[in-house]
Structures are given as structure tokens and as C-alpha cells.
Coordinates of all heavy atoms in Angstrom, one line a residue:
M1 N -52.2 -80.3 1.5 CA -53.4 -79.6 1.9 C -54.5 -80.0 0.9 O -55.6 -80.2 1.3 CB -53.2 -78.1 1.9 CG -54.4 -77.4 2.3 SD -54.3 -75.6 2.5 CE -52.6 -75.3 3.1
A2 N -54.2 -80.0 -0.4 CA -55.2 -80.2 -1.4 C -55.7 -81.6 -1.3 O -56.9 -81.9 -1.5 CB -54.6 -80.1 -2.8
S3 N -54.9 -82.6 -0.8 CA -55.4 -84.0 -0.7 C -56.5 -84.0 0.4 O -57.5 -84.7 0.3 CB -54.3 -84.9 -0.5 OG -53.6 -84.6 0.7
Y4 N -56.2 -83.3 1.5 CA -57.2 -83.3 2.6 C -58.5 -82.7 2.2 O -59.6 -83.2 2.5 CB -56.7 -82.6 3.9 CG -55.5 -83.3 4.5 CD1 -54.4 -82.5 4.9 CD2 -55.5 -84.6 4.8 CE1 -53.3 -83.1 5.5 CE2 -54.4 -85.2 5.4 CZ -53.3 -84.5 5.8 OH -52.3 -85.1 6.4
Q5 N -58.4 -81.6 1.4 CA -59.6 -80.9 0.9 C -60.3 -81.8 0.0 O -61.6 -81.8 0.0 CB -59.2 -79.6 0.3 CG -58.6 -78.6 1.3 CD -58.0 -77.4 0.6 OE1 -57.4 -77.5 -0.4 NE2 -58.0 -76.2 1.3
R6 N -59.6 -82.5 -0.8 CA -60.3 -83.4 -1.8 C -61.1 -84.5 -1.0 O -62.2 -84.9 -1.4 CB -59.3 -84.0 -2.8 CG -59.9 -85.0 -3.8 CD -60.8 -84.2 -4.7 NE -61.3 -85.1 -5.7 CZ -62.6 -85.1 -6.2 NH1 -63.4 -84.2 -5.8 NH2 -63.0 -86.0 -7.0
V7 N -60.4 -85.1 0.0 CA -61.1 -86.1 0.8 C -62.4 -85.6 1.4 O -63.4 -86.2 1.4 CB -60.2 -86.7 1.9 CG1 -60.9 -87.6 2.9 CG2 -59.0 -87.5 1.3
I8 N -62.3 -84.4 1.9 CA -63.5 -83.7 2.5 C -64.6 -83.5 1.5 O -65.8 -83.6 1.8 CB -63.1 -82.4 3.3 CG1 -62.2 -82.8 4.5 CG2 -64.3 -81.6 3.7 CD1 -61.5 -81.7 5.1
E9 N -64.2 -83.1 0.3 CA -65.1 -82.9 -0.8 C -65.9 -84.2 -1.1 O -67.1 -84.2 -1.3 CB -64.5 -82.5 -2.1 CG -64.0 -81.0 -2.1 CD -63.2 -80.7 -3.4 OE1 -63.3 -81.4 -4.3 OE2 -62.5 -79.7 -3.3
L10 N -65.2 -85.3 -1.0 CA -65.8 -86.6 -1.3 C -66.5 -87.2 -0.1 O -67.5 -87.9 -0.3 CB -64.7 -87.6 -1.7 CG -63.9 -87.3 -3.0 CD1 -62.8 -88.2 -3.2 CD2 -64.9 -87.4 -4.2
D11 N -66.1 -86.8 1.1 CA -66.8 -87.3 2.3 C -66.7 -86.2 3.4 O -65.8 -86.1 4.1 CB -66.0 -88.6 2.8 CG -66.6 -89.2 4.1 OD1 -67.6 -88.6 4.6 OD2 -66.1 -90.1 4.6
E12 N -67.8 -85.5 3.4 CA -67.9 -84.3 4.4 C -67.7 -84.7 5.8 O -67.3 -83.9 6.6 CB -69.2 -83.6 4.2 CG -69.4 -82.9 2.9 CD -70.7 -82.2 2.8 OE1 -71.5 -82.3 3.7 OE2 -71.0 -81.6 1.8
D13 N -67.9 -85.9 6.2 CA -67.9 -86.4 7.6 C -66.5 -87.0 7.9 O -66.4 -87.7 8.9 CB -69.0 -87.4 7.9 CG -70.3 -86.7 7.8 OD1 -70.4 -85.5 7.9 OD2 -71.3 -87.5 7.7
H14 N -65.5 -86.9 7.0 CA -64.2 -87.6 7.3 C -63.4 -86.8 8.3 O -62.8 -85.8 8.0 CB -63.4 -87.6 5.9 CG -62.4 -88.6 6.0 ND1 -61.2 -88.5 6.7 CD2 -62.3 -89.8 5.3 CE1 -60.5 -89.5 6.5 NE2 -61.1 -90.4 5.7
L15 N -63.5 -87.3 9.5 CA -62.9 -86.5 10.7 C -61.4 -86.5 10.6 O -60.8 -85.4 10.9 CB -63.4 -87.1 12.0 CG -64.9 -87.0 12.3 CD1 -65.2 -87.7 13.6 CD2 -65.2 -85.5 12.4
A16 N -60.8 -87.6 10.2 CA -59.3 -87.6 10.2 C -58.8 -86.5 9.2 O -57.8 -85.8 9.5 CB -58.8 -88.9 9.8
A17 N -59.4 -86.4 8.0 CA -59.0 -85.4 7.1 C -59.2 -84.0 7.6 O -58.3 -83.1 7.5 CB -59.8 -85.6 5.8
R18 N -60.3 -83.7 8.3 CA -60.6 -82.4 8.9 C -59.5 -82.1 10.0 O -59.0 -81.0 10.1 CB -62.0 -82.3 9.4 CG -63.0 -82.2 8.3 CD -64.4 -82.0 8.9 NE -65.4 -82.0 7.8 CZ -65.7 -80.9 7.0 NH1 -65.0 -79.8 7.2 NH2 -66.6 -81.0 6.1
R19 N -59.3 -83.1 10.8 CA -58.3 -82.9 11.9 C -56.9 -82.6 11.3 O -56.2 -81.7 11.8 CB -58.3 -84.1 12.8 CG -57.3 -84.1 13.9 CD -57.3 -85.3 14.7 NE -56.2 -85.3 15.6 CZ -55.6 -86.4 16.1 NH1 -56.0 -87.6 15.7 NH2 -54.6 -86.3 17.0
N20 N -56.5 -83.4 10.4 CA -55.2 -83.2 9.8 C -55.1 -81.9 9.0 O -54.1 -81.2 9.1 CB -54.8 -84.3 8.9 CG -54.6 -85.6 9.6 OD1 -54.3 -85.6 10.8 ND2 -54.8 -86.7 8.9
L21 N -56.2 -81.5 8.4 CA -56.2 -80.2 7.7 C -56.1 -79.0 8.7 O -55.3 -78.1 8.5 CB -57.4 -80.1 6.8 CG -57.6 -78.8 6.0 CD1 -56.4 -78.6 5.0 CD2 -58.9 -78.8 5.3
A22 N -56.8 -79.1 9.8 CA -56.7 -78.1 10.8 C -55.3 -78.0 11.4 O -54.8 -76.9 11.5 CB -57.7 -78.4 11.9
A23 N -54.7 -79.1 11.7 CA -53.4 -79.1 12.2 C -52.4 -78.5 11.2 O -51.5 -77.7 11.6 CB -52.9 -80.5 12.6
L24 N -52.6 -78.8 9.9 CA -51.7 -78.2 8.9 C -51.9 -76.7 8.8 O -50.9 -76.0 8.7 CB -52.0 -78.9 7.5 CG -51.2 -78.4 6.4 CD1 -49.7 -78.7 6.6 CD2 -51.6 -79.2 5.1
Y25 N -53.2 -76.3 8.8 CA -53.4 -74.8 8.9 C -52.6 -74.2 10.0 O -52.0 -73.1 9.9 CB -54.9 -74.5 9.0 CG -55.7 -74.6 7.7 CD1 -57.0 -75.2 7.8 CD2 -55.2 -74.2 6.5 CE1 -57.7 -75.3 6.6 CE2 -56.0 -74.3 5.3 CZ -57.2 -74.9 5.4 OH -58.0 -75.0 4.3
G26 N -52.7 -74.8 11.2 CA -52.0 -74.2 12.3 C -50.5 -74.2 12.1 O -49.8 -73.1 12.4
K27 N -49.9 -75.2 11.5 CA -48.5 -75.2 11.3 C -48.1 -74.2 10.2 O -46.9 -73.7 10.2 CB -48.0 -76.6 10.8 CG -48.0 -77.6 12.0 CD -47.6 -79.0 11.6 CE -47.7 -79.8 12.8 NZ -47.8 -81.2 12.5
L28 N -49.0 -73.9 9.3 CA -48.7 -72.9 8.2 C -49.0 -71.5 8.7 O -49.0 -70.6 7.8 CB -49.5 -73.3 7.0 CG -49.2 -74.6 6.3 CD1 -50.1 -74.9 5.2 CD2 -47.7 -74.5 5.8
G29 N -49.3 -71.3 9.9 CA -49.5 -69.9 10.4 C -50.9 -69.4 10.1 O -51.1 -68.2 10.0
Q30 N -51.9 -70.3 9.9 CA -53.3 -69.8 9.6 C -54.2 -70.3 10.7 O -55.1 -71.2 10.5 CB -53.7 -70.4 8.2 CG -52.8 -69.9 7.1 CD -53.2 -70.5 5.8 OE1 -53.9 -71.4 5.7 NE2 -52.7 -69.9 4.7
P31 N -54.0 -69.8 11.9 CA -54.8 -70.3 13.0 C -56.3 -70.1 12.9 O -57.1 -70.9 13.4 CB -54.2 -69.6 14.2 CG -53.7 -68.3 13.7 CD -53.2 -68.7 12.3
D32 N -56.7 -69.0 12.3 CA -58.2 -68.8 12.1 C -58.8 -70.0 11.3 O -59.9 -70.5 11.6 CB -58.5 -67.5 11.5 CG -58.2 -66.3 12.4 OD1 -58.3 -66.5 13.6 OD2 -57.8 -65.2 11.9
L33 N -58.1 -70.4 10.2 CA -58.6 -71.5 9.4 C -58.5 -72.8 10.2 O -59.4 -73.7 10.1 CB -57.8 -71.6 8.1 CG -58.1 -70.6 7.0 CD1 -57.1 -70.7 5.8 CD2 -59.5 -70.7 6.6
A34 N -57.5 -72.9 11.0 CA -57.4 -74.1 11.9 C -58.6 -74.2 12.8 O -59.2 -75.3 12.9 CB -56.1 -74.1 12.6
V35 N -58.9 -73.1 13.5 CA -60.0 -73.1 14.4 C -61.3 -73.4 13.7 O -62.1 -74.2 14.1 CB -60.1 -71.7 15.1 CG1 -61.5 -71.6 15.9 CG2 -59.0 -71.6 16.1
R36 N -61.5 -72.8 12.5 CA -62.8 -73.0 11.8 C -62.9 -74.5 11.4 O -63.9 -75.1 11.5 CB -62.8 -72.2 10.5 CG -64.1 -72.3 9.8 CD -64.3 -71.4 8.5 NE -63.6 -70.2 8.7 CZ -63.0 -69.5 7.7 NH1 -63.0 -70.1 6.5 NH2 -62.4 -68.4 7.9
T37 N -61.8 -75.1 11.0 CA -61.8 -76.5 10.5 C -62.0 -77.4 11.7 O -62.8 -78.4 11.6 CB -60.5 -76.8 9.8 OG1 -60.3 -75.9 8.7 CG2 -60.5 -78.2 9.2
Y38 N -61.4 -77.2 12.9 CA -61.6 -78.0 14.1 C -63.1 -77.9 14.4 O -63.7 -78.9 14.8 CB -60.8 -77.5 15.2 CG -59.4 -78.0 15.2 CD1 -58.3 -77.1 15.4 CD2 -59.0 -79.3 15.2 CE1 -57.0 -77.5 15.4 CE2 -57.7 -79.8 15.2 CZ -56.7 -78.9 15.3 OH -55.4 -79.3 15.3
Q39 N -63.7 -76.7 14.4 CA -65.1 -76.5 14.8 C -66.0 -77.2 13.8 O -67.0 -77.8 14.2 CB -65.4 -75.0 14.8 CG -64.7 -74.3 16.0 CD -64.9 -72.8 16.1 OE1 -65.0 -72.2 15.0 NE2 -64.8 -72.3 17.3
Q40 N -65.7 -77.2 12.5 CA -66.5 -78.0 11.6 C -66.4 -79.5 11.9 O -67.5 -80.2 11.8 CB -66.0 -77.7 10.1 CG -66.3 -76.4 9.6 CD -65.5 -76.0 8.4 OE1 -64.6 -76.7 8.0 NE2 -65.9 -75.0 7.7
A41 N -65.3 -80.0 12.3 CA -65.2 -81.4 12.7 C -66.0 -81.7 13.9 O -66.6 -82.7 14.0 CB -63.7 -81.7 12.9
L42 N -66.0 -80.7 14.9 CA -66.7 -80.9 16.1 C -68.2 -80.8 15.9 O -69.0 -81.4 16.6 CB -66.3 -79.9 17.2 CG -64.9 -80.2 17.7 CD1 -64.4 -79.0 18.6 CD2 -64.9 -81.5 18.5
D43 N -68.6 -80.1 14.8 CA -70.1 -80.1 14.4 C -70.5 -81.5 14.1 O -71.6 -81.9 14.3 CB -70.3 -79.2 13.3 CG -70.2 -77.7 13.7 OD1 -70.3 -77.4 14.9 OD2 -70.1 -76.9 12.8
I44 N -69.6 -82.3 13.5 CA -69.9 -83.7 13.1 C -69.8 -84.6 14.3 O -70.7 -85.5 14.5 CB -68.9 -84.1 12.0 CG1 -69.0 -83.2 10.8 CG2 -69.1 -85.6 11.6 CD1 -67.9 -83.3 9.8
E45 N -68.8 -84.5 15.1 CA -68.5 -85.4 16.2 C -68.1 -84.6 17.5 O -66.9 -84.4 17.7 CB -67.5 -86.4 15.9 CG -67.2 -87.4 17.0 CD -68.5 -88.1 17.5 OE1 -69.2 -88.7 16.7 OE2 -68.7 -88.0 18.7
P46 N -69.0 -84.0 18.2 CA -68.7 -83.2 19.4 C -67.8 -83.8 20.5 O -67.2 -83.1 21.2 CB -70.0 -82.7 19.9 CG -71.0 -83.1 18.9 CD -70.5 -84.2 18.0
S47 N -67.8 -85.1 20.5 CA -67.1 -85.8 21.6 C -65.8 -86.3 21.2 O -65.2 -87.1 21.9 CB -68.0 -86.9 22.2 OG -68.2 -87.9 21.2
H48 N -65.2 -85.9 20.1 CA -63.9 -86.3 19.6 C -62.8 -85.6 20.4 O -62.6 -84.4 20.2 CB -63.8 -86.0 18.1 CG -62.7 -86.8 17.4 ND1 -61.4 -86.6 17.7 CD2 -62.8 -87.8 16.6 CE1 -60.7 -87.4 17.0 NE2 -61.5 -88.2 16.3
V49 N -62.2 -86.4 21.3 CA -61.2 -85.8 22.2 C -60.0 -85.2 21.5 O -59.6 -84.1 21.8 CB -60.8 -86.9 23.2 CG1 -59.6 -86.4 24.1 CG2 -61.9 -87.3 24.1
A50 N -59.4 -85.9 20.5 CA -58.2 -85.4 19.8 C -58.5 -84.1 19.1 O -57.7 -83.2 19.1 CB -57.7 -86.4 18.9
I51 N -59.7 -84.0 18.5 CA -60.1 -82.7 17.8 C -60.2 -81.6 18.8 O -59.8 -80.5 18.6 CB -61.3 -82.9 16.9 CG1 -60.9 -83.9 15.8 CG2 -61.8 -81.6 16.4 CD1 -62.1 -84.4 15.0
R52 N -60.9 -81.9 19.9 CA -61.1 -80.8 21.0 C -59.7 -80.4 21.5 O -59.5 -79.2 21.7 CB -62.0 -81.3 22.1 CG -63.4 -81.3 21.8 CD -64.3 -81.1 23.0 NE -65.6 -81.0 22.5 CZ -66.2 -79.9 22.0 NH1 -65.6 -78.7 22.0 NH2 -67.4 -79.9 21.6
Y53 N -58.8 -81.3 21.7 CA -57.5 -81.0 22.2 C -56.7 -80.1 21.2 O -56.1 -79.2 21.6 CB -56.8 -82.3 22.6 CG -55.5 -82.0 23.3 CD1 -55.5 -81.5 24.6 CD2 -54.3 -82.3 22.8 CE1 -54.3 -81.3 25.3 CE2 -53.1 -82.1 23.4 CZ -53.1 -81.6 24.7 OH -51.9 -81.3 25.4
G54 N -56.8 -80.5 20.0 CA -56.2 -79.7 18.9 C -56.7 -78.3 18.9 O -56.0 -77.3 18.8
L55 N -58.0 -78.2 19.0 CA -58.7 -76.8 19.0 C -58.2 -76.1 20.3 O -57.8 -74.9 20.1 CB -60.2 -77.0 19.1 CG -61.0 -75.7 19.3 CD1 -60.7 -74.7 18.2 CD2 -62.5 -76.0 19.4
A56 N -58.1 -76.7 21.4 CA -57.7 -76.0 22.6 C -56.3 -75.5 22.5 O -56.0 -74.4 22.8 CB -57.8 -77.0 23.8
N57 N -55.4 -76.3 21.9 CA -54.0 -75.9 21.7 C -53.9 -74.7 20.8 O -53.1 -73.8 21.0 CB -53.2 -77.1 21.2 CG -52.9 -78.1 22.3 OD1 -52.9 -77.8 23.5 ND2 -52.7 -79.3 21.9
T58 N -54.7 -74.8 19.7 CA -54.6 -73.7 18.8 C -55.1 -72.4 19.4 O -54.5 -71.3 19.2 CB -55.5 -74.0 17.5 OG1 -55.0 -75.2 16.9 CG2 -55.5 -72.9 16.5
L59 N -56.2 -72.5 20.1 CA -56.8 -71.3 20.8 C -55.7 -70.7 21.8 O -55.6 -69.5 21.9 CB -58.1 -71.6 21.5 CG -59.3 -71.9 20.6 CD1 -60.4 -72.6 21.4 CD2 -59.7 -70.7 19.9
R60 N -55.1 -71.6 22.5 CA -54.0 -71.2 23.5 C -52.9 -70.4 22.8 O -52.5 -69.4 23.2 CB -53.5 -72.4 24.2 CG -52.4 -72.0 25.3 CD -51.8 -73.2 25.9 NE -51.4 -74.3 25.0 CZ -50.3 -74.3 24.3 NH1 -49.4 -73.3 24.4 NH2 -50.0 -75.4 23.5
R61 N -52.5 -71.0 21.6 CA -51.4 -70.3 20.9 C -51.8 -69.0 20.3 O -51.0 -68.1 20.2 CB -50.9 -71.2 19.7 CG -50.0 -72.4 20.2 CD -49.4 -73.1 19.1 NE -50.3 -73.7 18.2 CZ -50.8 -75.0 18.4 NH1 -50.4 -75.7 19.4 NH2 -51.6 -75.5 17.5
M62 N -53.1 -68.8 20.1 CA -53.6 -67.5 19.6 C -53.9 -66.5 20.7 O -54.2 -65.4 20.5 CB -55.0 -67.8 18.9 CG -54.9 -68.6 17.6 SD -56.5 -69.0 17.0 CE -57.0 -67.4 16.3
G63 N -53.7 -67.0 22.0 CA -53.9 -66.1 23.1 C -55.3 -66.0 23.5 O -55.7 -65.2 24.4
R64 N -56.1 -66.9 23.0 CA -57.6 -66.9 23.4 C -57.7 -67.9 24.6 O -58.3 -69.0 24.5 CB -58.4 -67.4 22.2 CG -58.4 -66.3 21.1 CD -58.9 -66.8 19.8 NE -60.2 -67.2 19.8 CZ -60.9 -67.6 18.7 NH1 -60.3 -67.6 17.5 NH2 -62.1 -68.0 18.7
L65 N -57.2 -67.5 25.7 CA -57.0 -68.4 26.8 C -58.2 -68.9 27.5 O -58.3 -70.0 27.9 CB -56.0 -67.7 27.9 CG -54.7 -67.3 27.3 CD1 -53.8 -66.6 28.4 CD2 -54.0 -68.5 26.7
E66 N -59.2 -68.0 27.6 CA -60.5 -68.5 28.2 C -61.2 -69.6 27.4 O -61.6 -70.6 27.9 CB -61.4 -67.3 28.5 CG -61.0 -66.4 29.6 CD -62.0 -65.2 29.8 OE1 -63.1 -65.4 29.5 OE2 -61.5 -64.2 30.4
E67 N -61.2 -69.4 26.1 CA -61.7 -70.4 25.2 C -60.9 -71.7 25.2 O -61.5 -72.8 25.3 CB -61.8 -69.9 23.8 CG -62.8 -68.7 23.6 CD -62.6 -68.1 22.2 OE1 -63.3 -68.5 21.3 OE2 -61.7 -67.2 22.1
A68 N -59.6 -71.5 25.3 CA -58.7 -72.7 25.4 C -59.0 -73.5 26.6 O -59.1 -74.7 26.6 CB -57.3 -72.3 25.3
Q69 N -59.1 -72.8 27.7 CA -59.4 -73.4 29.0 C -60.7 -74.2 29.0 O -60.8 -75.3 29.5 CB -59.3 -72.4 30.2 CG -59.5 -73.0 31.5 CD -58.4 -74.0 31.9 OE1 -57.2 -73.8 31.5 NE2 -58.7 -75.0 32.6
A70 N -61.7 -73.6 28.4 CA -63.0 -74.2 28.3 C -62.9 -75.5 27.5 O -63.5 -76.6 27.9 CB -64.0 -73.3 27.7
E71 N -62.1 -75.5 26.4 CA -61.9 -76.7 25.6 C -61.1 -77.8 26.4 O -61.5 -79.0 26.4 CB -61.2 -76.4 24.3 CG -62.1 -75.7 23.3 CD -63.4 -76.4 23.0 OE1 -63.4 -77.7 22.9 OE2 -64.4 -75.8 22.7
Y72 N -60.1 -77.4 27.1 CA -59.3 -78.3 27.9 C -60.2 -79.0 29.0 O -60.2 -80.2 29.2 CB -58.1 -77.6 28.6 CG -57.0 -77.3 27.7 CD1 -56.5 -76.0 27.7 CD2 -56.4 -78.2 26.9 CE1 -55.4 -75.7 26.9 CE2 -55.4 -77.9 26.1 CZ -54.8 -76.6 26.1 OH -53.8 -76.3 25.3
Q73 N -61.1 -78.2 29.6 CA -62.1 -78.8 30.5 C -63.0 -79.8 29.9 O -63.3 -80.8 30.4 CB -62.9 -77.6 31.2 CG -62.0 -76.8 32.2 CD -62.7 -75.6 32.7 OE1 -63.9 -75.3 32.3 NE2 -62.1 -74.9 33.6
R74 N -63.5 -79.5 28.6 CA -64.3 -80.4 27.9 C -63.5 -81.7 27.6 O -64.1 -82.8 27.8 CB -64.8 -79.8 26.6 CG -65.9 -78.8 26.8 CD -66.4 -78.2 25.5 NE -67.2 -77.1 25.7 CZ -66.9 -75.8 25.5 NH1 -65.7 -75.5 25.1 NH2 -67.8 -74.9 25.8
V75 N -62.3 -81.6 27.3 CA -61.4 -82.8 27.1 C -61.4 -83.6 28.4 O -61.5 -84.8 28.3 CB -60.0 -82.4 26.6 CG1 -59.1 -83.6 26.7 CG2 -60.1 -81.8 25.2
R76 N -61.2 -82.9 29.5 CA -61.1 -83.7 30.8 C -62.4 -84.4 31.1 O -62.4 -85.5 31.7 CB -60.7 -82.7 31.9 CG -59.2 -82.5 32.0 CD -58.9 -81.7 33.3 NE -57.8 -80.8 32.9 CZ -58.0 -79.4 32.8 NH1 -59.1 -78.9 33.0 NH2 -57.0 -78.7 32.4
R77 N -63.5 -83.7 30.8 CA -64.8 -84.4 31.0 C -65.0 -85.6 30.2 O -65.5 -86.6 30.6 CB -66.0 -83.4 30.8 CG -66.2 -82.4 32.0 CD -67.5 -81.7 31.9 NE -67.7 -80.9 30.8 CZ -67.3 -79.6 30.7 NH1 -66.7 -79.0 31.7 NH2 -67.4 -78.9 29.6
L78 N -64.6 -85.5 28.9 CA -64.7 -86.6 28.0 C -63.8 -87.7 28.3 O -64.1 -88.9 28.1 CB -64.5 -86.1 26.5 CG -65.6 -85.2 26.0 CD1 -65.1 -84.5 24.7 CD2 -66.9 -86.0 25.8
E79 N -62.6 -87.4 28.7 CA -61.5 -88.4 28.9 C -60.7 -87.9 30.1 O -59.6 -87.3 30.0 CB -60.6 -88.5 27.7 CG -59.7 -89.6 27.8 CD -58.9 -89.8 26.5 OE1 -59.5 -89.9 25.4 OE2 -57.6 -89.7 26.6
P80 N -61.2 -88.2 31.3 CA -60.5 -87.8 32.6 C -59.0 -88.1 32.7 O -58.3 -87.4 33.3 CB -61.3 -88.5 33.7 CG -62.6 -88.7 33.1 CD -62.4 -89.0 31.6
E81 N -58.6 -89.1 32.0 CA -57.2 -89.5 32.1 C -56.3 -89.0 31.0 O -55.1 -89.3 30.8 CB -57.1 -91.1 32.1 CG -57.8 -91.7 33.2 CD -57.3 -91.3 34.6 OE1 -56.1 -91.2 34.8 OE2 -58.2 -91.0 35.5
H82 N -56.9 -88.0 30.2 CA -56.1 -87.5 29.1 C -54.8 -86.8 29.6 O -54.9 -86.0 30.6 CB -57.0 -86.4 28.3 CG -56.4 -86.0 27.0 ND1 -55.4 -85.1 26.9 CD2 -56.6 -86.5 25.8 CE1 -55.1 -84.9 25.6 NE2 -55.8 -85.8 24.9
R83 N -53.7 -87.1 29.1 CA -52.4 -86.6 29.6 C -52.2 -85.2 29.4 O -51.5 -84.5 30.2 CB -51.3 -87.4 29.0 CG -51.3 -88.9 29.4 CD -50.1 -89.6 28.8 NE -50.0 -89.5 27.4 CZ -48.8 -89.5 26.7 NH1 -47.7 -89.6 27.4 NH2 -48.8 -89.4 25.4
G84 N -52.7 -84.6 28.3 CA -52.4 -83.2 28.0 C -53.3 -82.2 28.6 O -52.9 -81.0 28.7
A85 N -54.5 -82.6 28.9 CA -55.5 -81.6 29.4 C -55.4 -81.3 30.8 O -55.0 -82.0 31.6 CB -56.9 -82.0 29.0

């Protein structure tokens, strides 16, 4: 976790580090931090499909189904052939 945070300190726009950190927060049972980190990444690159999909999955696991569905729909608009959305 610290290595991702350090990369972000050095490069605020590093999307891979933000995406991986968000996924790690989710795996560690910190979904609120995961959502916040995904959203920060989307502030940088709103059309990043993998980040939107990760956010949608996290929201779904949190029971925030309407928000998750909206994100899945955004994924489909960005990448109609996306297998997961």
C-alpha cells in the first residue's frame, strides 16, 4: 500500500497506482477508501473503463446498487463490447 501511495505522491496523475490502491483498499475491507480512490482516478481520466468497472464492482459489493448500475452503464457506453458490464 505504501508503495502505491508513494508513487501517487510523486505523480498525482498515475492512474495505475490509483487503480491498484483502490483495488487493494477493497480487498482489505475498506470500500469507502476504495470508492474515494477510484473517484480520484476518474477525476483525472473520466473515460478509463477499467477504473469505472472497478468502481462499479465496489459499489455493488457495498449494496449501492443504483450507483453501481449507473457505472456499469457508463462502462457499456465507453466500451460496448466489455465482457463484465
